[in-house]
C-alpha cells in the first residue's frame, strides 16, 4: 500500500511539472512570435500606405513625460480571424521596451468580420494598439496579420504611417 501511495505521489508530481512546462512553452512561443514579427517589419523594405482589407489610422496625444500614439484597425472588408497587430518606431530596442501590439500575448482571439460584432465571442469591429514615445512626431511601422476562417492561411500587410501631435 505504501508503494502505491509513493508511486501515486511521484506521478502527480511529474504531471504537475509537465503542466508547468507546457505553460512556459506557450509563453516562449508568444515571445518568439513577438520578436519574429518585429524582425519581419525591420527586414521589409516596401511598406504599404493604403490597406486593402481594412481601414487603418493613427493619432497622437500628449501625456505626462511624452506622447502616446494610437493605431486603429477597423472596418474590415474581408473576414479576418486570429488578428495580430504590432507597431514599432525606428531606433527603439524592443527587446527591453514593449511594442504596441494585440493578439500576440492575449489569451483572447480577435476576429473581424464585415458588418458583424459580438465582442463577448471574440468578434470585434476593430482593434486599437498604443504605446508611448518621446517624440511629438514619428513614423510607425505597423504589421497586421490574420488568418482565414479555417486558420490554414496567414495574410499579412505592413504599413508605414506618419503620426504627429497636433496640439
Amino acid at each position: 500500500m505504501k508503494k502505491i501511495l509513493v508511486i501515486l505521489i511521484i506521478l502527480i508530481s511529474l504531471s504537475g511539472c509537465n503542466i508547468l512546462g507546457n505553460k512556459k512553452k506557450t509563453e516562449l512561443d508568444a515571445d518568439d512570435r513577438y520578436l519574429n514579427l518585429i524582425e519581419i517589419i525591420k527586414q521589409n523594405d516596401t511598406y504599404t500606405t493604403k490597406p486593402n482589407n481594412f481601414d487603418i489610422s493613427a493619432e497622437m496625444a500628449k501625456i505626462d513625460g511624452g506622447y502616446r500614439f494610437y493605431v486603429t484597425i477597423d472596418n474590415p472588408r474581408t473576414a479576418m480571424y486570429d488578428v495580430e497587430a504590432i507597431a514599432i518606431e525606428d531606433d527603439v530596442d524592443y527587446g527591453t521596451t514593449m511594442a504596441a501590439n494585440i493578439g500576440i500575448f492575449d489569451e483572447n482571439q480577435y476576429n473581424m468580420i464585415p458588418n458583424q460584432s459580438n465582442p463577448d465571442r471574440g468578434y470585434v469591429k476593430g482593434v486599437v494598439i498604443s504605446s508611448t514615445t518621446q517624440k511629438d512626431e514619428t513614423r510607425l511601422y505597423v504589421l497586421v496579420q490574420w488568418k482565414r476562417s479555417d486558420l490554414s492561411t496567414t495574410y499579412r500587410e505592413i504599413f508605414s504611417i506618419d503620426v504627429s501631435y497636433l496640439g
Side-chain angles (χ1 to χ4, degrees):
M1 182 68 170
K2 286 184 181 180
K3 288 181 183 179
I4 293 174
L5 188 57
V6 170
I7 291 173
L8 185 59
I9 290 172
I10 290 172
L11 287 174
I12 291 172
S13 297
L14 290 175
S15 66
C17 293
N18 190 25
I19 290 168
L20 292 175
N22 287 341
K23 183 176 182 187
K24 189 162 181 89
K25 183 177 184 226
T26 302
E27 289 172 4
L28 291 175
D29 288 343
D31 290 342
D32 290 343
R33 196 165 66 249
Y34 167 82
L35 294 172
N36 183 47
L37 292 175
I38 290 172
E39 193 58 33
I40 289 169
I41 294 171
K42 288 181 176 182
Q43 296 298 321
N44 195 46
D45 57 358
T46 306
Y47 299 96
T48 304
T49 55
K50 184 167 173 38
N52 295 317
N53 298 291
F54 49 86
D55 292 340
I56 189 168
S57 61
E59 61 185 63
M60 186 177 287
K62 186 163 181 52
I63 60 170
D64 289 341
Y67 301 88
R68 177 170 289 281
F69 63 81
Y70 302 89
V71 177
T72 303
I73 302 155
D74 61 2
N75 298 321
R77 291 183 273 290
T78 186
M80 301 169 64
Y81 294 86
D82 195 16
V83 175
E84 296 178 329
I86 190 165
I88 65 170
E89 296 178 272
D90 279 331
D91 303 324
V92 175
D93 177 9
Y94 289 104
T96 58
T97 302
M98 181 61 74
N101 71 82
I102 194 165
I104 300 169
F105 297 102
D106 300 313
E107 290 181 21
N108 297 332
Q109 180 175 311
Y110 299 96
N111 306 302
M112 294 172 36
I113 311 297
N115 304 311
Q116 295 182 34
S117 176
N118 187 342
D120 294 336
R121 299 191 61 186
Y123 293 90
V124 296
K125 289 182 179 182
V127 294
V128 177
I129 57 176
S130 84
S131 189
T132 59
T133 183
Q134 295 301 308
K135 305 172 193 170
D136 65 348
E137 62 182 54
T138 189
R139 174 165 288 160
L140 300 175
Y141 299 95
V142 182
L143 182 148
V144 180
Q145 177 172 284
W146 69 95
K147 297 177 180 136
R148 49 188 259 178
S149 63
D150 64 3
L151 306 180
S152 65
T153 305
T154 300
Y155 301 93
R156 183 180 294 143
E157 291 187 33
I158 304 174
F159 304 91
S160 170
I161 301 173
D162 292 322
V163 62
S164 59
Y165 175 66
L166 299 176

